[in-house]
Amino acid sequence: MGIRRKKTFSQSLLFLTEVLSLFVPHTIVVSAVSADCQCIVFDSTYNEEYGVFTSPNWPVPYEDNINCLLYTFITEENSLVKVVFEEFDLDRSNLGCKFGDYVKLYLHLNEPLVNQNTSHNIFLCGKLSDIQQTHYSSGAALIFEFHSDWRQENNTGFRGTFRFFNKTLFETAGELTNGSKCDYNIDSNMINGSRGRFFSPQYPSIYPKNVDCSYRFAGNLNERVKIIFEQVHLQNNDLSCLINPDKIEIYDGESSKSPMIGELCNTDSFIDFVSTGPDLFVLFHSRGHFPSQGFKATFIFQNDTVLEEDLDTPSMDRRKLSQDITTTVPMPPHQQWFNSGTSKNGTFTSPNYPEPYPDNFYCVYHFTARGRERIQILFTDFDLYLSDEGIKDCAGPTDVVMVFITINGQKERLNNFCGNNIPPQLMSNGPSMSVEFKSYQPLLAQKGFRAIYQFVTNFGISAGVQDPQQVCGFIFNSTERTNGSFTSPNYPGLYPRATECHYFFFGRGNERITLTFAYFDVEGVPPCTTDLASDFVEFSNFRTVDRKIPRHCGVKKPKIITSDGDFFRVAFKSNGKFDGTGFEAFYQFRNYVDPLTVKRISGAESLRPRKLYIIPPVVTVSLCLILL
């Protein structure tokens, strides 16, 4: 077997320059800031908006001992750089990619120069599946360094594309506050039109560490504010938003002292919020060690009179949805609209209820909430025709009620209901929900359904005192009540998807909190992690994670749990995939006596000298008589 003869690095660099010149005629090699580095420069001044870059020799394996090869992309002042790694294969000799073979990216540059003191953003190594493929600059320059060590592993390197594009595509509408880098006032009277966009700092590049940015929306008295977070990419981990270092907080008013109606962390898409009045306030916090891309969002100032076309997010196509449901039901459907601005509760029924409903009929009931409100639906009567084919999951050609919510901007079906079994109590995960009723069969004796709807702000949790600074947070204080019960949201119905709730227990200094679960049904598989698509209940003696107590999910009830101190926190978190009935638990604040203290006192008592008491004979006889 022959040995492959490798080119020297200088030969490889010359070859790379010749190859790249086929794609970018004005690619040049220049000296770097450091004498040890060589540069390959891509400059937009030659009217090159895009092109291709590769590692030396690609797709032939790159050389070893490439100390410092800088790929430098330079564009105009009001433009940004985008690079995409389409092929990637570097030797991964360590987990952090900081040694061995790696690509080191500099995304936040004020000028196209780097040296030993320049802060980098990301290291890349391994295979294409191991890396983030797309990267953006925050300014007019982007540089990445390619390095290989002495080991010859026959990895092929990388191939990618770059593009220069206009920076104004990612400018936040509104006015930047004087002296601030990322605090904006967005006034309905000062923007062009009724809608616009806002972004995390430096978007689409990585946001900086340790920043707080605010976005204050001010509408007219007859307006409300709707915001849609189209993409959210924050530091991704398996933590609740309460303790996540990077997060977005949404407040229903003009400041962070207003009630919180939303909290986003990790990764999401097309999440919408609607204010109850003309003001809305958004806070973005960055405290993590590994910042991500951030968010892009749209805002809309809406008239207080709700328009039908405003009720769905832009990603929804109601006509397509109706066509997907069935092709045998006549179009368009009969539609009814319910919004919390008109009424906080009421009823809705099938057509002609309690008389038999018509055949071949299609009706859609739309519900739209505001602020932290959720839509809660309770069926009080249910009687639909059930064909033999429709028994399983109500999926056959049978009369059916279908309930939909919105997950990541898409209409997701909660469940189908048919026959005469009353559906469980239901709750939305956000400000929108729809119920769809279809009948196929000829007129029969079935009378249809009746349901009660409510726009609730307490998530169907009646225990404790609701915390206005949490989206779904409840406080239990022993000074108010020493025992009671608490439940998952919407219990005993199905808990809402994509929902996070916290229960805070505050005792006196000598008290401990004891929890006993009477019922438990939380979808998931131990150890109840995000990777397993599990909902979970989490316990902690702190506001942060308590590693001593494992998460719980499934149908097995947790054992009796007792806090270590006078504070305890319970967290419930559901994802957007499954739902269950949740839990019911009892709490009790109990006085705590330290067993070590008792033992020390008992020991001290045993060491005390004992006095000898002489009991007179009469007393002794009396005692004997009593004992007998």
Side-chain angles (χ1 to χ4, degrees):
M1 184 174 181
I3 300 177
R4 180 172 60 85
R5 189 177 182 84
K6 301 177 75 173
K7 299 179 182 178
T8 65
F9 173 57
S10 298
Q11 292 174 323
S12 300
L13 184 59
L14 179 61
F15 173 77
L16 173 61
T17 305
E18 293 172 350
V19 171
L20 290 174
S21 66
L22 298 176
F23 301 102
V24 185
H26 297 281
T27 299
I28 55 176
V29 178
V30 298
S31 297
V33 175
S34 172
D36 295 332
C37 295
Q38 290 184 293
C39 294
I40 302 173
V41 180
F42 303 83
D43 197 330
S44 68
T45 58
Y46 299 103
N47 296 320
E48 294 295 334
E49 295 182 0
Y50 59 90
V52 176
F53 60 89
T54 69
S55 56
N57 296 341
W58 190 90
V60 176
Y62 55 83
E63 294 296 316
D64 57 309
N65 291 317
I66 299 177
N67 184 45
C68 180
L69 178 58
L70 297 179
Y71 292 71
T72 303
F73 303 85
I74 307 172
T75 184
E76 299 173 352
E77 182 178 356
N78 292 322
S79 296
L80 300 175
V81 183
K82 174 184 179 181
V83 296
V84 181
F85 290 94
E86 297 179 345
E87 304 285 345
F88 199 88
D89 178 25
L90 301 187
D91 178 46
R92 188 184 185 95
S93 59
N94 64 93
L95 187 61
C97 301
K98 296 183 179 180
F99 307 99
D101 299 354
Y102 59 78
V103 164
K104 180 164 63 173
L105 289 114
Y106 300 87
L107 304 178
H108 301 161
L109 299 175
N110 296 321
E111 55 183 346
L113 297 172
V114 295
N115 57 36
Q116 292 85 346
N117 298 321
T118 306
S119 297
H120 63 275
N121 297 99
I122 302 174
F123 281 94
L124 305 177
C125 65
K127 304 295 184 181
L128 188 66
S129 59
D130 298 323
I131 70 165
Q132 180 181 332
Q133 293 180 243
T134 304
H135 303 272
Y136 297 88
S137 69
S138 62
L142 185 153
I143 295 176
F144 70 80
E145 174 189 346
F146 176 45
H147 177 276
S148 67
D149 66 7
W150 52 270
R151 286 169 287 200
Q152 300 178 7
E153 300 292 343
N154 290 335
N155 300 91
T156 56
F158 54 82
R159 175 188 179 278
T161 59
F162 69 89
R163 181 176 293 275
F164 304 118
F165 59 96
N166 198 322
K167 187 177 183 178
T168 59
L169 296 173
F170 302 100
E171 289 183 353
T172 294
E175 181 179 346
L176 188 64
T177 304
N178 290 334
S180 170
K181 293 183 179 181
C182 59
D183 293 334
Y184 288 87
N185 289 311
I186 304 172
D187 195 307
S188 173
N189 297 314
M190 300 186 67
I191 64 170
N192 185 17
S194 62
R195 64 179 65 205
R197 308 189 77 181
F198 65 105
F199 305 89
S200 54
Q202 300 183 162
Y203 191 91
S205 186
I206 295 173
Y207 53 81
K209 298 179 182 179
N210 298 317
V211 296
D212 294 297
C213 300
S214 66
Y215 308 81
R216 183 182 180 275
F217 299 88
N220 296 314
L221 289 177
N222 63 334
E223 291 179 328
R224 56 192 179 124
V225 187
K226 179 176 183 177
I227 56 175
I228 305 166
F229 287 91
E230 299 171 16
Q231 287 185 7
V232 176
H233 294 286
L234 305 184
Q235 181 175 338
N236 199 21
N237 51 42
D238 192 12
L239 296 175
S240 72
C241 286
L242 178 71
I243 54 180
N244 208 301
D246 297 349
K247 57 185 173 181
I248 305 165
E249 299 170 347
I250 302 95
Y251 295 90
D252 192 16
E254 59 183 13
S255 72
S256 58
K257 295 181 180 179
S258 305
M260 183 188 289
I261 61 173
E263 194 170 31
L264 301 176
C265 58
N266 299 320
T267 302
D268 273 306
S269 62
F270 287 100
I271 308 298
D272 58 319
F273 302 92
V274 182
S275 67
T276 59
D279 297 304
L280 195 72
F281 190 76
V282 176
L283 270 180
F284 170 65
H285 301 281
S286 165
R287 294 291 183 272
H289 297 295
F290 305 101
S292 190
Q293 188 178 30
F295 69 84
K296 65 175 180 178
T298 299
F299 65 85
I300 307 168
F301 290 102
Q302 297 177 323
N303 287 329
D304 199 45
T305 303
V306 180
L307 300 177
E308 177 180 325
E309 57 268 25
D310 291 331
L311 294 177
D312 291 336
T313 61
S315 64
M316 297 182 193
D317 187 334
R318 191 179 300 120
R319 289 174 299 177
K320 182 179 185 301
L321 176 66
S322 299
Q323 293 167 359
D324 288 344
I325 293 171
T326 179
T327 57
T328 62
V329 175
M331 296 288 290
H334 174 72
Q335 302 192 67
Q336 295 185 35
W337 306 88
F338 305 88
N339 71 80
S340 65
T342 304
S343 177
K344 296 299 183 183
N345 56 72
T347 61
F348 65 101
T349 66
S350 54
N352 301 334
Y353 179 88
E355 300 299 323
Y357 52 81
D359 63 310
N360 201 30
F361 193 83
Y362 177 29
C363 189
V364 182
Y365 309 83
H366 302 275
F367 299 87
T368 304
R370 302 179 181 185
R372 69 161 60 137
E373 291 175 338
R374 296 296 185 265
I375 302 107
Q376 187 179 56
I377 294 178
L378 174 64
F379 287 89
T380 59
D381 197 3
F382 201 85
D383 182 22
L384 304 185
Y385 170 77
L386 179 62
S387 66
D388 294 337
E389 294 84 355
I391 293 177
K392 185 177 181 181
D393 300 326
C394 305
T398 190
D399 299 352
V400 64
V401 166
M402 300 177 292
V403 181
F404 292 88
I405 57 173
T406 303
I407 298 290
N408 293 332
Q410 301 296 322
K411 213 102 174 183
E412 295 287 342
R413 191 187 316 237
L414 271 183
N415 212 332
N416 294 346
F417 304 104
C418 58
N420 55 14
N421 292 324
I422 294 182
Q425 184 172 270
L426 304 171
M427 179 173 284
S428 69
N429 64 308
S432 62
M433 193 175 195
S434 64
V435 177
E436 304 187 0
F437 169 59
K438 298 188 303 180
S439 68
Y440 291 99
Q441 304 303 323
L443 189 62
L444 295 172
Q446 276 71 24
K447 60 183 177 180
F449 65 85
R450 177 184 180 273
I452 299 172
Y453 70 87
Q454 294 185 81
F455 294 99
V456 298
T457 58
N458 66 352
F459 292 80
I461 300 172
S462 57
V465 177
Q466 192 163 9
D467 184 357
Q469 294 302 301
Q470 298 289 328
V471 181
C472 179
F474 296 85
I475 297 172
F476 300 82
N477 200 317
S478 68
T479 58
E480 301 292 332
R481 187 169 180 176
T482 59
N483 61 79
S485 64
F486 66 103
T487 68
S488 54
N490 198 47
Y491 184 85
L494 299 178
Y495 54 73
R497 298 183 187 180
T499 297
E500 181 176 318
C501 293
H502 295 270
Y503 310 81
F504 304 96
F505 296 86
F506 296 92
R508 297 180 178 89
N510 64 333
E511 290 180 331
R512 299 295 182 264
I513 301 96
T514 299
L515 304 180
T516 305
F517 282 81
Y519 180 84
F520 197 85
D521 175 24
V522 176
E523 286 288 334
V525 179
C528 313
T529 60
T530 301
D531 294 338
L532 296 172
S534 294
D535 305 334
F536 62 82
V537 174
E538 187 175 72
F539 305 96
S540 178
N541 288 285
F542 322 99
R543 288 187 68 88
T544 56
V545 175
D546 193 337
R547 304 294 181 186
K548 295 184 300 182
I549 311 176
R551 287 178 176 176
H552 286 75
C553 59
V555 295
K556 185 179 180 180
K557 292 187 294 186
K559 297 179 180 179
I560 295 176
I561 297 174
T562 301
S563 67
D564 291 343
D566 58 0
F567 171 80
F568 203 62
R569 177 177 63 87
V570 179
F572 166 79
K573 187 175 177 62
S574 63
N575 57 33
K577 299 179 181 179
F578 307 106
D579 38 44
T581 313
F583 66 83
E584 180 183 23
F586 298 95
Y587 69 89
Q588 185 173 14
F589 295 95
R590 294 179 175 177
N591 288 324
Y592 175 73
V593 178
D594 189 344
L596 295 178
T597 303
V598 173
K599 186 175 182 179
R600 285 196 297 269
I601 293 174
S602 300
E605 291 287 347
S606 65
L607 295 176
R608 290 179 182 176
R610 297 181 178 179
K611 295 181 179 179
L612 180 62
Y613 293 94
I614 301 175
I615 303 175
V618 175
V619 176
T620 304
V621 172
S622 301
L623 288 175
C624 291
L625 290 174
I626 294 172
L627 293 175
L628 291 174

